[in-house]
Amino acid sequence: LERRVRRLEEQLASVGPGDAREPQKKEEAEEIPLRESERQSAPGIPSGQKTPVPPPAGAGSGGTHREERPVETYRAQRPEKSLWQGIEKAVGEKWIAWVGVMVIFLALAFFIKHAIDMGWLGPTARCTLGVIAGIIMAGAGDRCLRRDMRGLGQGLVGGGLAALYLSLFSAFYFYDLMPPEFAFGFMVAVTAGGMLLALLHDALPIAFIAVLGGLLTPVLCRTGVDQRDLLFSYITVLNMGVLGIALFRRWRALDMLAFAGAWLLFGGWYARFYSEAMLTPTVSWLLVFFVVFLLLPFGYHLRTGLAVPLERFLLGMINAAVAFGFAFDILHPEHHYLLGFIALGMAASYSLLGTGLGRRDGKGRDMHGFLALAMIFLTVAVPLHMGLHGTLIVWVAQSVALLYLGYRFGYLPVRLGAFAVFCVALIRFFTVHWPLHEMDFVLFWNTSFATALCVPIGGAVFAWLHRRRNPGAKWDCAAQRMVEIGSCLLAILILQSELGLWLIQRGLVADEFRGEYFARFTCVVIWTLGGLCMLAGGIRWRSPAMRLSAVLPLAMGLILLFIMYLEQLPEQVLLINLRFAGALTAVSAAFLWAYSLRRWVPEWDGKLGGFIGWMALFVLWFCLSMESWHFFLEFVQPADRARWVALMAVSITWGVYATALLVAGFLRDRRSLRLVALGLFAVTGGKLVFVDMAGVRDIYRIISFLAIGLLMVGASYLYHKTEKKVCEKENG
């Protein structure tokens, strides 16, 4: 940048005042739109276009008049000229130099091959000539770089480094002219020299080739023998060199190359040579690598105090994930407690790094990102110390941290990636951790339940971050709704499974049938109350999607209630049993659901609220009918008499329920309730005629007809007593 500014200053100094103003005056040609009336009178100018205005007559030197031409034509020619100039400059200065170096390299290789075939050169001569050629090319490249011939100089230095690496490798591997330690040392020297040249001349390609050659050196000089400490010491020294460069240059490609190469070499050694006897030194070297790459992405920003871009945070997260992944594979499950301390150390490292960058910056712009990374490992340390399943919790925490970084840097793909990670964690939960228990467990105080709860809790934090940032993109809004609704449903499912399985387990010890009965009752209560909680959350946070989704757990509770009433259950007292208690809970929840919509969401009252209210009335009628039927069918003997009594009880129940609806219709001033009550009276009368008259003995039939008749007469009296007042109120 300094060279470019200096070059521009020299160009401006060499241009005269008149010439300097000349291009500016060409730019001053304005486009003045014509009024529609003027445009109609101007021939040759179609509507919707602008008229180019020529510059004044005296604008040029000497007052000569310039040729009039549209400004668009003048401006359209400039990008083409600069584009071709850029292509010509790139081809002439860079591409042709690199291609030429490659051609020279191939020519030398062909010459050496021909010399070998003809018997002119022995192994020592071949390697010596390669080293000499590499040194000459690197020296020539350095000279060109000093003379500001960057493209040619970088190509020559890169070719020289490649020739040196190739010659040293051939001397060791093919011809056995030197031991591996010597070849290793020479390649280290070549790498150091290349990095020094790159730093002196500000040339990323040279540094890239030097580091690439340095990373390939252990692979090229491998002996098949485990040399762990030597290998990792060399990689650490190489990475420290890259870290030193990172303090002065923002070369992202070089950082990524060093990061990928170092961890690949570590992974290759780990897959081939690691054993449990090497646990302590392996973990030590692993932590050394983590610390180096903890600082590497942020070294330049620590020195300068500049803001940290998004890719730096992502590289830090990948480094933490890779290091912790290796540590998890080494230490889990036998040493999970030590793994928890490693997670705490990583959390402390990111906290210190964030604090240092925040103080260096002076504004604390990047502290929150590092605190998010620290919170991930602090979150992971807790389940590791408690023996929980770490992978699922790590993924959930990682999705939350990615979402924060996506909002912190305003980058939508990262936020979508956070949603994808949360979905992957959810898939793992159902494929690996579900069902929660397969043997005896302590209610709530167990590893599986605590691990499972981390998923909806993480989803709640995920949705809270979305809501706090007030997303505008439709993908963010969709992700927020899906995660918050899914987390609520998952929390209800986890709680229902935990209580249900525990009650069934206790029932297997005492009475299997009663254990399942208690479990079904618990499921009904949990689902219906969960639906109420979701509705309250939707009203509180003004989320129509959550309010609408609250119907799902409510419907699930009602379905489970129907199943309870359709199955055979143990002996119980009429209306005083857990089954009817579950029915009252579900019906009360449905009525409260409808009331909440009328109170806080009036626009939905006539639609969803009304539907839920009528559904609650139907469920209550069904449960009361089934209570009467089951109770008398089970307790009355003999069986034929029990059926007659049960039919009579159902008819009376319907009549009483219709009367209650009629009274409620008058009290609430709801004509729809009164009409439904009259309809139920009609259905009850039809049952008396078509069912009770033929299937019930005389005494029970008499009781049924008498009870229903009295109820109908009472309903008629009530109707006549209050209908007049109701009509007067409605009419005026």
Side-chain angles (χ1 to χ4, degrees):
L1 290 175
E2 291 176 353
R3 280 196 295 270
R4 290 181 180 177
V5 170
R6 187 165 56 250
R7 194 178 299 121
L8 289 173
E9 290 175 348
E10 292 174 356
Q11 291 178 0
L12 289 175
S14 63
V15 176
D19 296 334
R21 288 193 300 268
E22 188 70 21
Q24 181 181 1
K25 292 179 179 179
K26 290 183 179 181
E27 298 283 349
E28 291 176 354
E30 295 180 334
E31 298 174 354
I32 303 176
L34 295 176
R35 296 189 184 94
E36 191 63 31
S37 58
E38 297 174 347
R39 188 177 303 280
Q40 292 176 359
S41 61
I45 302 177
S47 177
Q49 293 187 1
K50 298 177 180 180
T51 306
V53 179
S61 58
T64 59
H65 179 68
R66 292 190 196 146
E67 179 184 359
E68 298 181 3
R69 58 176 177 176
V71 179
E72 289 80 5
T73 305
Y74 173 74
R75 292 179 179 172
Q77 292 177 357
R78 293 175 59 195
E80 295 182 359
K81 186 176 181 181
S82 61
L83 174 64
W84 287 109
Q85 284 181 347
I87 294 176
E88 180 183 4
K89 182 179 180 65
V91 173
E93 294 184 2
K94 292 183 179 180
W95 298 353
I96 196 171
W98 284 93
V99 173
V101 170
M102 183 61 66
V103 170
I104 293 173
F105 182 80
L106 293 175
L108 290 175
F110 292 150
F111 170 76
I112 292 173
K113 182 180 182 304
H114 179 70
I116 292 172
D117 294 339
M118 298 299 295
W120 297 346
L121 298 175
T124 304
R126 302 168 200 165
C127 297
T128 303
L129 286 177
V131 171
I132 293 173
I135 294 174
I136 292 174
M137 291 179 67
D142 177 66
R143 186 174 181 82
C144 292
L145 287 169
R146 293 179 185 277
R147 295 188 176 184
D148 205 14
M149 300 183 215
R150 296 188 59 80
L152 180 59
Q154 291 177 6
L156 289 173
V157 172
L161 293 176
L164 288 171
Y165 280 123
L166 180 61
S167 301
L168 293 172
F169 173 69
S170 300
F172 153 70
Y173 191 79
F174 293 112
Y175 305 125
D176 200 17
L177 297 177
M178 63 178 70
E181 293 79 7
F182 278 47
F184 186 84
F186 284 133
M187 289 188 175
V188 170
V190 172
T191 301
M195 294 173 68
L196 181 61
L197 284 175
L199 192 60
L200 290 175
H201 297 292
D202 194 16
L204 173 60
I206 297 176
F208 194 90
I209 294 174
V211 173
L212 180 61
L215 292 171
L216 291 176
T217 296
V219 180
L220 298 176
C221 297
R222 66 185 184 275
T223 59
V225 180
D226 181 16
Q227 295 178 325
R228 179 195 61 232
D229 296 333
L230 178 63
L231 172 65
F232 292 161
S233 298
Y234 167 73
I235 296 175
T236 302
V237 172
L238 180 64
N239 291 333
M240 292 300 293
V242 178
L243 176 60
I245 292 178
L247 293 175
F248 301 95
R249 299 289 186 271
R250 296 179 64 181
W251 289 344
R252 299 181 179 89
L254 188 65
D255 298 344
M256 290 297 298
L257 175 65
F259 175 84
W263 283 118
L264 286 175
L265 289 174
F266 183 91
W269 174 88
Y270 180 78
R272 186 173 183 183
F273 296 108
Y274 175 74
S275 63
E276 293 185 3
M278 305 176 184
L279 186 146
T280 302
T282 302
V283 172
S284 301
W285 280 115
L286 182 67
L287 294 179
V288 170
F289 279 32
F290 167 75
V291 171
V292 171
F293 290 110
L294 172 71
L295 299 174
L296 180 62
F298 312 108
Y300 185 81
H301 307 278
L302 281 170
R303 188 181 69 84
T304 61
L306 296 176
V308 179
L310 175 63
E311 65 270 9
R312 304 283 93 184
F313 279 110
L314 294 180
L315 186 59
M317 290 187 66
I318 296 172
N319 172 55
V322 172
F324 191 79
F326 277 116
F328 188 87
D329 192 65
I330 294 171
L331 299 173
H332 192 270
E334 290 81 4
H335 307 280
H336 65 84
Y337 202 75
L338 178 59
L339 190 60
F341 280 112
I342 290 177
L344 288 175
M346 289 183 171
S349 300
Y350 280 113
S351 298
L352 292 174
L353 183 61
T355 303
L357 279 171
R359 290 179 178 177
R360 185 66 175 156
D361 183 357
K363 300 179 180 179
R365 292 176 294 184
D366 303 313
M367 290 184 63
H368 295 88
F370 288 102
L371 289 178
L373 294 176
M375 285 302 299
I376 290 179
F377 289 101
L378 188 61
T379 305
V380 171
V382 175
L384 288 174
H385 281 294
M386 297 179 62
L388 304 182
H389 305 282
T391 304
L392 179 65
I393 299 175
V394 168
W395 287 358
V396 173
Q398 186 178 8
S399 68
V400 174
L402 280 174
L403 179 64
Y404 171 78
L405 293 176
Y407 274 118
R408 170 69 177 79
F409 294 98
Y411 198 48
L412 178 61
V414 174
R415 301 198 294 272
L416 296 179
F419 176 70
V421 172
F422 186 84
C423 292
V424 171
L426 197 62
I427 293 172
R428 177 181 175 82
F429 171 76
F430 282 107
T431 56
V432 177
H433 303 276
W434 189 266
L436 297 181
H437 307 285
E438 296 179 356
M439 58 185 69
D440 294 348
F441 61 95
V442 179
L443 181 64
F444 297 143
W445 193 258
N446 58 81
T447 299
S448 298
F449 179 71
T451 304
L453 274 185
C454 291
V455 181
I457 291 174
V461 177
F462 191 98
W464 176 80
L465 277 175
H466 268 301
R467 190 172 298 280
R468 183 176 178 82
R469 294 288 181 165
N470 192 18
K474 61 179 182 180
W475 293 109
D476 288 329
C477 296
Q480 173 196 340
R481 295 190 188 102
M482 286 188 284
V483 171
E484 66 183 3
I485 293 170
S487 299
C488 292
L489 295 176
L490 183 61
I492 298 171
L493 180 64
I494 291 171
L495 186 60
Q496 172 254 315
S497 175
E498 182 77 4
L499 277 171
L501 289 176
W502 185 79
L503 289 170
I504 291 175
Q505 184 187 89
R506 298 279 75 78
L508 292 176
V509 177
D511 183 354
E512 179 180 357
F513 194 82
R514 288 189 178 276
E516 187 173 353
Y517 172 60
F518 276 83
R520 290 184 182 277
F521 162 75
T522 305
C523 293
V524 171
V525 173
I526 290 175
W527 280 105
T528 51
L529 294 182
L532 274 180
C533 292
M534 287 186 65
L535 177 63
I539 294 173
R540 171 65 179 81
W541 294 309
R542 299 178 181 178
S543 174
M546 182 173 285
R547 293 198 296 262
L548 185 61
S549 301
V551 178
L552 297 177
L554 181 64
M556 187 66 183
L558 296 178
I559 291 172
L560 293 175
L561 182 64
F562 273 105
I563 294 174
M564 284 185 67
Y565 271 101
L566 293 176
E567 291 183 349
Q568 184 181 0
L569 295 173
E571 298 178 359
Q572 52 191 320
V573 182
L574 179 65
L575 302 181
I576 306 176
N577 54 75
L578 285 179
R579 181 175 60 179
F580 191 68
L584 289 180
T585 303
V587 171
S588 301
F591 280 131
L592 188 56
W593 217 97
Y595 171 77
S596 300
L597 289 182
R598 170 174 290 187
R599 176 68 175 81
W600 287 288
V601 195
E603 64 272 15
W604 282 15
D605 176 54
K607 302 175 184 177
L608 188 58
F611 173 77
I612 296 297
W614 288 112
M615 180 61 67
L617 290 175
F618 173 76
V619 170
L620 182 59
W621 168 78
F622 174 80
C623 294
L624 288 171
S625 303
M626 296 302 292
E627 281 285 321
S628 302
W629 174 261
H630 282 300
F631 177 77
F632 290 103
L633 195 64
E634 184 176 352
F635 282 93
V636 176
Q637 297 297 333
D640 292 341
R641 184 170 171 233
R643 184 174 181 277
W644 302 333
V645 174
L647 286 173
M648 177 194 68
V650 169
S651 299
I652 295 175
T653 300
W654 287 9
V656 173
Y657 191 74
T659 304
L661 286 179
L662 189 63
V663 172
F666 282 121
L667 293 177
R668 299 287 297 172
D669 195 15
R670 297 287 296 273
R671 183 179 296 275
S672 56
L673 282 176
R674 300 195 297 269
L675 293 177
V676 170
L678 295 177
L680 185 56
F681 271 123
V683 173
T684 306
K687 178 180 177 296
L688 289 175
V689 174
F690 295 104
V691 179
D692 293 1
M693 186 176 293
V696 180
R697 282 289 183 93
D698 291 339
I699 184 63
Y700 304 110
R701 183 169 53 204
I702 291 171
I703 295 174
S704 298
F705 274 76
L706 179 61
I708 298 303
L710 290 174
L711 288 172
M712 288 183 175
V713 170
S716 176
Y717 173 78
L718 182 64
Y719 210 93
H720 284 84
K721 184 77 174 176
T722 56
E723 177 67 13
K724 184 177 181 181
K725 296 180 180 179
V726 173
C727 292
E728 291 176 355
K729 184 178 180 180
E730 290 179 353
N731 294 329

